[in-house]
Amino acid sequence: MPRRLPADWRAVFGVPLLVGLATLVGLLAALLHEGAGGVAAWLSLSLPLALIAWHVGKAYLGKARIGRAHAPRDRAARRT
C-alpha cells in the first residue's frame, strides 16, 4: 500500500481562514464606514450563514434523494 502524504495546510485551513478573513473585513467595514461599508458588512457577515445553510441543505437534500430512490421499489412491491 502506498504511503499517504500529509495534507498541505492550505488544503485543511484554506477555506476557514478565508471565511474568517471575510468576517473580519465585514466587522471592520461596519465599524469604520457608512453607506457602501454597511453593504459590504452585510454581505461579508452573511457569508458564514450562507455556508451553513448550503451545507445543511446539501445534507437534507442528500437524505431526501436517498429516500426517493427507494420509493418506486416500495410501490412495485405493494402492487404484487
Side-chain angles (χ1 to χ4, degrees):
M1 178 180 261
R3 189 172 178 189
R4 188 173 174 188
L5 296 174
D8 189 24
W9 70 271
R10 287 172 284 182
V12 176
F13 297 109
V15 174
L17 284 174
L18 287 176
V19 171
L21 183 64
T23 303
L24 180 64
V25 167
L27 289 171
L28 289 174
L31 287 172
L32 302 175
H33 300 288
E34 294 180 15
V39 173
W42 274 102
L43 290 175
S44 62
L45 292 174
S46 64
L47 177 64
L49 298 175
L51 289 173
I52 290 169
W54 182 64
H55 282 284
V56 168
K58 186 176 168 184
Y60 177 73
L61 289 177
K63 289 180 182 179
R65 287 183 187 146
I66 291 171
R68 279 188 272 154
H70 296 293
R73 194 178 307 160
D74 292 339
R75 286 186 207 141
R78 288 183 200 154
R79 289 182 195 157
T80 57

